[in-house]
Amino acid sequence: MSVSLDITEGLATLTFDAPPANAVDLEFTEALIARLDTLRAVSGVGAAIVTGAGRAFCAGVNFKVVPGYDAEAKRAMVGNINRMASALYALPFPVVAAVNGPAIGGGMVLAMACDFRVAAREAARFALGEVTANIPYPAVPLIVLEDSLDPSVRRDLMLTGRILDANGATAMRIVDHVVEAGALLDAARMMTTTLAKAPGYARVKAQLRAPALARMRAAIEKGDDPMLEEWV
């Protein structure tokens, strides 16, 4: 399966595992939705880490596969992208992205859907390349970016498509901590452990994200994503 889930002592680790770049296709979206459904159903989970296997975090849309989809498959994928981004954003406990490599396009959206981001100093890269690929944003990823990025940063990255390294992303307040690659998962575990100690974390996170989540639910229920007008 292109997304694995491990739960150990109350800490869940979601790992994108679709080599070589952990790119997003229909199978990936279905796998992530299934893992997130499992994560919400399991009792005793107090925090989660999201990371990538191999050299990439998530490289965004799989351009080797997705352009060949028929209209029905493209509609299904857009719906799944909205559902998976919303489900990740709605997890009630601390969620830390351990960005081990490129987080591009939809991959950056998934990183931004986490609460905090720790990045590997040499390998992590961040970009919103839809402007150069001439691809519109689905409704929910756009809401994630609107809710999690400063307006000036959002305008810059969405309209230029430029690539940031870990230090550049830190300067733009996209990344919270930069560490060496070998220390990445340990740093993410330490952060989740610290965050999970706050008794009101779930309550305050729900308050903080309620307006965006309401918009996401409305977009999913409406079903006629603006992206479909351009892409299907």
Side-chain angles (χ1 to χ4, degrees):
M1 205 169 189
S2 52
V3 181
S4 66
L5 172 62
D6 174 77
I7 301 174
T8 302
E9 297 180 351
L11 175 62
T13 302
L14 280 163
T15 304
F16 305 142
D17 192 5
N22 303 326
V24 178
D25 54 21
L26 193 54
E27 179 186 355
F28 181 101
T29 64
E30 291 171 349
L32 182 52
I33 289 169
R35 296 307 193 190
L36 290 168
D37 286 346
T38 298
L39 193 52
R40 290 187 68 90
V42 172
S43 61
V45 176
I49 294 170
V50 179
T51 193
R55 296 183 177 182
F57 179 78
C58 175
V61 171
N62 187 340
F63 287 107
K64 293 182 179 180
V65 175
V66 174
Y69 286 169
D70 61 19
E72 182 178 355
K74 287 181 178 179
R75 288 190 186 93
M77 184 163 167
V78 171
N80 283 357
I81 287 171
N82 284 330
R83 285 191 291 275
M84 74 179 187
S86 176
L88 180 57
Y89 208 62
L91 289 176
F93 38 71
V95 183
V96 174
V99 183
N100 56 303
I104 308 299
M108 181 169 169
V109 170
L110 291 173
M112 299 311 301
C114 300
D115 302 355
F116 295 91
R117 284 150 292 283
V118 181
R121 188 180 310 279
E122 298 298 330
R125 296 291 185 273
F126 299 83
L128 296 171
E130 283 75 0
V131 67
T132 56
N134 194 23
I135 298 174
Y137 288 85
V140 171
L142 186 58
I143 295 169
V144 170
L145 297 174
E146 289 172 345
D147 202 47
S148 60
L149 290 173
D150 289 344
S152 61
V153 172
R154 184 171 68 246
R155 182 186 66 243
D156 181 335
L157 297 186
M158 290 181 69
L159 294 182
T160 68
R162 68 188 180 105
I163 299 173
L164 301 176
D165 62 13
N167 290 330
T170 302
M172 287 193 162
R173 296 190 291 182
I174 294 166
V175 166
D176 300 286
H177 296 289
V178 177
V179 298
E180 300 304 320
L184 182 66
L185 289 178
D186 284 342
R189 291 187 193 102
M190 185 177 299
M191 178 176 276
T192 58
T193 298
T194 300
L195 294 170
K197 290 178 181 178
Y201 194 95
R203 179 174 295 174
V204 174
K205 180 178 176 178
Q207 288 182 306
L208 183 65
R209 295 196 166 177
L213 288 171
R215 292 172 60 204
M216 291 176 189
R217 285 192 297 270
I220 291 170
E221 290 170 3
K222 190 175 181 182
D224 56 344
D225 193 290
M227 184 176 181
L228 294 174
E229 299 175 7
E230 301 286 337
W231 198 46
V232 175

